[in-house]
Amino acid sequence: MTTEDLGDGTRCVRGGHPEPVGGTPLLPGPVFAAPYHLGDGEGGDFYGRAGNPTWRALESAIGELDGGRCVLLPSGMAAISTVLRAVLGVGDALVLPSDGYYATRQFVRDELTALDLDVREIPTPGPWDDEVFRGVRLVLLETPSNPGLDVCDIAELAERAHRAGALLAVDNTTATPLGQRPLELGADIVIASDTKALAGHSDLLLGHVSVRDEELAERLVRARTLSGAIPGPFETWLAHRSMGTLDLRLARQAENAAALVAALRGHPAVSGLRWPGSPDDPSHDLARRQMRRWNGVFRFELADAAAVAEFVRRSRLVVAATSFGGLHSTVDRRAQWGDPVPPGFVRFSAGCEDPDDLVADVLQALG
């Protein structure tokens, strides 16, 4: 049986683990090292900024899920910024999602001004007319988008980007490596914040980039080494340990999201309810074609910021936090961070609580 034949749960549990040897742990502990002993020959680790076996173990596991070579970074933004700096040159054209993660746009505006980029901001659903791709160097998608949860056709846009001579990258944080495999759909680069679902316990920061082109992978590794944007070995080991339950956590989170969306549909206090996993969502048909499974992130709107605050106050199980994909159910009122959304817009991350408890709590909190 090859790795490709294994199911999600098996690959999450066993990915990146060494072959069994008597008397050794199933998952070796983190390697803490700055310098390493230098051998007589070439090869091997020599300095902690350039390599660490703990990184390589998790990179192997994530790379198997993504279908490419994985390069770990210390956060999702480190992953995004490393890709942008490694790919873009002076005067290049860059396509960004106007409705995606706000910090990506902010980074380009504030930190890449010296490149004098031609930045084209396009909503995830489009319109994707031909002028968008003219002379472009890199197209960055985020699908499902954060926080709006709109979806775009990765395969189609990858083909159009390649015809224009561009690379196509996908921020896959919301979907997770189990929910979507952009490299198999034609993307050149997949980016994710592993702070979210992959690590899943709200206790560390981590990110990664996966690619199939070896030259690009080496460029990313070199950029990581020279910039010093390296992940800590303990955080890496924690994420690898946590990844073993990703399949289980994602299944429960999707179950909870489906139950909550069904309970909230038609609720008088709720509007703008969106979840790509729902058959009546406008993005569902496209999402179903390119996503392998659903996750626990959905969105809705309450009347205003005060209504969101009251909802959180009344809830016993849901807390306010600005992340998603963790064990705990959380709400994030996205307008407070500068997203162009109404004041009562909520991104809800369904956690791993009991579905009946969670639905009952959310309904009573809404009043």
Side-chain angles (χ1 to χ4, degrees), residues 57-73:
L58 182 55
E59 286 173 335
S60 172
I62 297 175
E64 286 182 3
L65 297 182
D66 277 337
R69 179 176 168 188
C70 171
V71 178
L72 279 183
L73 280 305

Side-chain angles (χ1 to χ4, degrees), residues 319-334:
V319 298
T322 185
S323 191
F324 58 89
L327 296 173
H328 308 85
S329 288
T330 62
V331 297
D332 192 7
R333 193 178 69 79
R334 293 304 300 172

Side-chain angles (χ1 to χ4, degrees), residues 76-77 79-81 84 94-108 120-126 128 138-155 157-158 167-176 180 182 185 187 189-193 196 274 276 283 286-287 290-291 295 297 299 324 332 334 339-341 345 347:
M77 276 308 300
I80 289 171
S81 61
L84 295 176
L94 166 67
V95 176
L96 290 178
S98 62
D99 55 346
Y101 184 44
Y102 74 95
T104 301
R105 298 189 299 277
Q106 187 176 348
F107 174 79
V108 170
R120 306 165 189 177
E121 296 188 8
I122 308 296
T124 295
W128 292 97
L138 177 66
V139 178
L140 175 60
L141 310 178
E142 189 176 291
T143 178
S145 61
N146 172 25
L149 301 183
D150 274 311
V151 174
C152 58
D153 191 324
I154 296 172
L157 296 177
L167 296 174
L168 184 123
V170 177
D171 185 329
N172 203 40
T173 301
T174 308
T176 82
Q180 189 168 259
L185 297 168
I189 302 167
V190 60
I191 304 167
S193 170
K196 311 300 192 294
R274 294 286 306 274
S283 294
L286 173 56
Q290 68 184 18
M291 293 182 68
N295 59 28
V297 183
R299 52 155 281 197
F324 58 89
D332 192 7
R334 293 304 300 172
D339 279 324
V341 295
F345 181 105
R347 183 186 67 201

Side-chain angles (χ1 to χ4, degrees), residues 302 304-315 364-367:
L302 299 181
D304 50 31
V308 177
E310 178 66 8
F311 169 69
V312 174
R313 187 190 69 79
R314 290 171 57 93
S315 173
Q364 70 79 25
L366 286 171

